[in-house]
Amino acid sequence: MEEYIGGLWDKLIRHTAYRGHPKARTSLKEMERIAPIFFRALGGDAGLSIRAGSATTHGARRPWLERVAGIGDKTELAWSNETTLHLPAWIELFPEREQNRELYLWLIALAAHDVAPDASWIVRNQKATQATLDALPGMVGRYARLVAAALAIRPDPASLPPSEAVAEEKIRAALRAPGSVAVFIPGCKPPAPVPLWLHPAQDGADETRAAAKGEPQQPIEKSKVSTDSEARKRRAESVETPDNKSPFMLLFRAESLFTWAEYVKVDRPLDEDDNDHAEKAANDLDILSVTNDGRTTASRIRFDLDLPSESDDDLVLADGILLPEWHYRKQQMQPAHCRLQMMLARQAEPCELPLALRPAAKRLRNQFQALTTQRTRLHGQASGSDLDLDACVRYAAEKASGVPTAEPGLYLDSRNQQRDLSCLLLADLSLSTDAWVNDTSRVIDVIRDSMYLFSEALAATGDRFALYGFSSVRRDKVRYHLLKGFDERYNDQIRGRLAALKPGFYTRMGAAIRHSAAILSKQKSSRRLLLIITDGKPNDLDKYEGRYGIEDTRAAIAEARRLGLTPFCVTIDQKAGDYLPHLFGASGFVVVRNASMLPQVLPRLYVQLTEAH
């Protein structure tokens, strides 16, 4: 009964003290489709992804009722760093839902016109505001309405101590007349957050990763991981592994931990059961402390899985193929930066097509045979079996008008037209493909079936094609798997290599694309398609993460286009819209929403791509 009454009281006091408007809430998930388009259309950095940031402790004065209720100490802010524009997970500041939505649009526009990111907080936002209003005159009225609504919920300067009142007046003046305040001196406490402004980046703490030591840890299986319902970008810090050998640990009492936000350097053993309150705890923490002790839950449950090992690895056909890599911070290419290994499956016994795929393969072969060499009527020929009436009428009309013109081709002819096309299919074989799509198939199984059916279909057309796969462990070990070369015939031996596919390690996509482009560019076909299948964004254990990996992959794709190739990406990553438009362009990729449909989608997509060229 005591807990029940306490819970009712807690709900009552929180509801009474809360100053937001939950019924008018607008969430970032509702804006996720238009936000990236709007940001890039206004000239924002195309390499930035848009995600929800973590709520931040602001330290400003709070009304006494909020202090009693224990709320109001954190707020949702907008800020950016070199990889991400962080927006509030939701906005419910204003009583009108439309105003909360307009605040999202204003913050996106402000971030796109952040012309002085290195200036002080108040000067930076005033200059960004001026640049936004100058570039977008239609935003002037919206901005005025947002300022009026924001000032109405800010603390009254008359109720603040003198130093804080002066600071509040400066903020109000900067909001009303951007550019009017050059110097800002905070009071004894930080000012109340300004929801219309960008706030300083969170010290880059969210990008901190625990240093990898020894052998790389394997990623956690996706099917065994609960998803963050708010999809926030968490702030984290890397700490040393706690030493639990001290005899004084015997005197430790759990009651001494007043809050879970206070980090104590103690090695707490991991329980086998999932922590149902992990997300709530993460929301209450400003910074997550992370350490690498080599004994994570993931490593304990993954050692029985079918992973590549040094004792049973694939054959290395060529070691030491050096490739460059783009360093986007320095804006220069790093020559001979990556080392690629050409590999071949060690135990790939020849085999037939799996029984389950034979009906689909037969159907595809019948359909794709229509794309093979066929007799085509050619218009406007110098000689042929029939007159081209259209060409004759046009020539007679031009001659009658008095316009001098040379005699064009006036005949029709029929010839066998050859498909002059080469395609290289590059598959992501990183460890993330070990995740389960449904109760019967993993991502790697879906990719394997797709390559089976793709090969069966192209074998029927006679098109030249090659199959490769890739994974990586840092820049000195980019594993590039030969599945079928352009000079090899598709047969049971190739099917055996596909059957031996297994996931492993990470996704250094730029190096794999560069080597694939070099192979494909040697083909003499007039049309050359580089088809990439992946389930996630570029990543690796070293700095090949986030913006670095994205920009290197983008540079590799641009290089492929300069070679006259057509890169196209097929992905099952549902968040691919955040980064693939920046890599491949708006029409250079497709997202397969249901991964199990990839084997049926891929051959049809190939037909559409080859007909479009």
Side-chain angles (χ1 to χ4, degrees):
M1 178 59 71
E2 181 180 352
E3 292 183 1
Y4 178 72
I5 297 299
L8 292 178
W9 167 252
D10 183 65
K11 290 181 180 179
L12 175 63
I13 192 68
R14 283 173 174 264
H15 178 75
T16 305
Y18 187 57
R19 293 184 293 167
H21 303 275
K23 292 183 178 180
R25 169 184 289 190
T26 300
S27 67
L28 185 57
K29 288 185 178 180
E30 299 173 39
M31 306 287 294
E32 63 183 0
R33 289 193 175 183
I34 67 170
I37 299 173
F38 186 58
F39 178 66
R40 293 173 182 124
L42 297 183
D45 187 345
L48 292 185
S49 60
I50 297 180
R51 295 188 60 180
S54 55
T56 305
T57 303
H58 53 76
R61 291 185 181 275
R62 292 181 289 158
W64 69 270
L65 198 55
E66 285 190 357
R67 298 199 300 271
V68 171
I71 63 173
D73 58 329
K74 291 188 176 185
T75 187
E76 300 276 343
L77 300 176
W79 51 282
S80 64
N81 56 23
E82 62 184 13
T83 62
T84 311
L85 169 60
H86 301 267
L87 295 175
W90 62 76
I91 298 177
E92 52 188 31
L93 291 172
F94 308 127
E96 298 294 333
R97 180 181 176 84
E98 185 60 28
Q99 280 186 304
N100 293 320
R101 185 178 184 277
E102 285 193 356
L103 180 53
Y104 265 125
L105 297 176
W106 168 255
L107 291 173
I108 293 170
L110 193 70
H113 296 87
D114 189 12
V115 294
D118 297 327
S120 64
W121 170 64
I122 197 165
V123 173
R124 171 193 181 187
N125 281 284
Q126 289 180 93
K127 288 187 175 182
T129 300
Q130 287 177 309
T132 303
L133 298 178
D134 290 342
L136 307 170
M139 297 287 286
V140 173
R142 291 184 176 184
Y143 176 72
R145 291 192 295 271
L146 288 172
V147 168
L151 293 179
I153 61 175
R154 293 192 63 78
D156 184 359
S159 65
L160 298 174
S163 62
E164 295 178 32
V166 173
E168 177 63 24
E169 290 288 1
K170 291 280 189 181
I171 291 175
R172 287 171 171 263
L175 284 169
R176 293 191 184 99
S180 62
V181 178
V183 179
F184 177 75
I185 301 176
C188 299
K189 284 196 170 187
V194 185
L196 273 64
W197 286 352
L198 299 175
H199 288 257
Q202 307 298 305
D203 302 323
D206 63 302
E207 304 297 339
T208 304
R209 300 177 59 197
K213 300 178 182 179
E215 290 298 318
Q217 291 186 359
Q218 306 294 350
I220 300 175
E221 187 176 351
K222 291 182 180 178
S223 61
K224 297 182 180 295
V225 180
S226 59
T227 304
D228 181 2
S229 61
E230 296 174 1
R232 291 181 181 272
K233 184 84 168 187
R234 308 284 180 181
R235 298 173 60 197
E237 64 177 355
S238 177
V239 298
E240 295 295 330
T241 304
D243 182 5
N244 62 343
K245 297 180 180 180
S246 173
F248 293 101
M249 283 301 299
L250 298 174
L251 304 178
F252 173 72
R253 297 180 60 193
E255 293 84 351
S256 63
L257 292 178
F258 295 104
T259 172
W260 53 31
E262 182 179 355
Y263 173 71
V264 180
K265 195 172 182 179
V266 195
D267 187 9
R268 176 188 174 192
L270 294 167
D271 298 327
E272 295 297 331
D273 297 332
D274 294 335
N275 184 354
D276 296 332
H277 305 290
E279 185 175 342
K280 182 178 184 300
N283 288 337
D284 287 348
L285 290 171
D286 286 338
I287 298 177
L288 305 180
S289 297
V290 183
T291 186
N292 183 355
D293 62 1
R295 295 186 291 122
T296 63
T297 302
S299 64
R300 291 210 304 269
I301 65 175
R302 291 196 63 85
F303 73 95
D304 287 331
L305 296 178
D306 183 19
L307 305 178
S309 62
E310 294 296 332
S311 61
D312 187 25
D313 207 350
D314 294 332
L315 296 172
V316 178
L317 300 179
D319 193 5
I321 301 175
L322 298 179
L323 297 168
E325 188 167 275
W326 176 255
H327 196 303
Y328 88 97
R329 292 188 183 91
K330 297 179 180 179
Q331 289 294 296
Q332 66 182 25
M333 192 68 74
Q334 304 171 95
H337 190 72
C338 298
R339 184 181 298 274
L340 183 138
Q341 299 173 325
M342 182 72 75
M343 310 191 78
L344 183 68
R346 184 186 297 272
Q347 298 175 347
E349 297 294 332
C351 66
E352 296 182 351
L353 186 69
L355 290 173
L357 296 179
R358 291 181 185 178
K362 182 178 180 180
R363 184 173 62 254
L364 285 172
R365 282 195 296 267
N366 293 335
Q367 293 172 351
F368 273 61
Q369 282 175 353
L371 301 177
T372 58
T373 302
Q374 54 187 336
R375 201 163 183 80
T376 305
R377 289 175 65 85
L378 303 177
H379 294 265
Q381 302 299 305
S383 62
S385 57
D386 295 308
L387 283 174
D388 186 346
L389 295 181
D390 291 338
C392 291
V393 170
R394 283 196 302 271
Y395 175 62
E398 291 172 355
K399 189 175 181 180
S401 66
V403 177
T405 179
E407 182 175 334
L410 301 176
Y411 296 91
L412 292 173
D413 196 8
S414 298
R415 298 176 190 172
N416 289 331
Q417 290 292 96
Q418 299 286 341
R419 284 172 58 86
D420 190 16
L421 176 67
S422 295
C423 177
L424 188 149
L425 178 62
L426 179 63
D428 176 5
L429 304 180
S430 61
L431 195 59
S432 59
T433 60
D434 197 31
W436 289 88
V437 174
N438 49 42
D439 294 338
T440 59
S441 302
R442 299 170 299 165
V443 174
I444 188 67
D445 301 324
V446 171
I447 291 177
R448 181 188 296 111
D449 291 349
S450 302
M451 299 179 82
Y452 274 135
L453 295 180
F454 181 80
S455 301
E456 294 289 333
L458 265 65
T461 66
D463 291 349
R464 295 177 57 79
F465 71 100
L467 308 174
Y468 292 91
F470 75 98
S471 60
S472 65
V473 187
R474 299 188 178 91
R475 66 185 179 93
D476 59 343
K477 192 179 291 185
V478 180
R479 301 159 60 89
Y480 194 80
H481 300 263
L482 170 63
L483 303 174
K484 178 192 176 299
F486 279 109
D487 56 348
E488 293 182 291
R489 184 171 175 269
Y490 178 67
N491 52 26
D492 287 348
Q493 183 180 5
I494 304 301
R495 296 185 187 99
R497 294 178 191 172
L498 295 176
L501 285 179
K502 50 189 176 182
F505 306 116
Y506 300 89
T507 316
R508 206 175 199 95
M509 194 176 291
I513 290 177
R514 286 187 178 91
H515 194 62
S516 299
I519 294 173
L520 183 57
S521 64
K522 295 178 181 178
Q523 300 302 308
K524 303 303 182 182
S525 305
S526 61
R527 293 179 292 176
R528 293 168 292 183
L529 176 64
L530 177 57
L531 201 54
I532 303 161
I533 303 178
T534 183
D535 71 331
K537 64 172 61 176
N539 71 90
D540 208 332
L541 279 173
D542 50 18
K543 61 184 179 181
Y544 203 85
E545 186 72 50
R547 186 71 180 273
Y548 184 99
I550 292 289
E551 293 298 336
D552 175 60
T553 304
R554 186 170 187 258
I557 293 166
E559 294 166 23
R561 289 198 173 104
R562 286 195 293 270
L563 291 173
L565 313 181
T566 304
F568 192 89
C569 181
V570 182
T571 183
I572 60 174
D573 182 9
Q574 302 306 310
K575 297 182 180 179
D578 293 342
Y579 58 92
L580 282 187
H582 181 57
L583 295 181
F584 291 90
S587 59
F589 71 96
V590 66
V591 179
V592 180
R593 300 295 177 185
N594 185 354
S596 62
M597 295 299 295
L598 183 60
Q600 289 76 35
V601 170
L602 188 61
R604 293 201 303 266
L605 179 64
Y606 176 80
V607 173
Q608 296 172 5
L609 290 173
T610 54
E611 287 180 348
H613 288 285

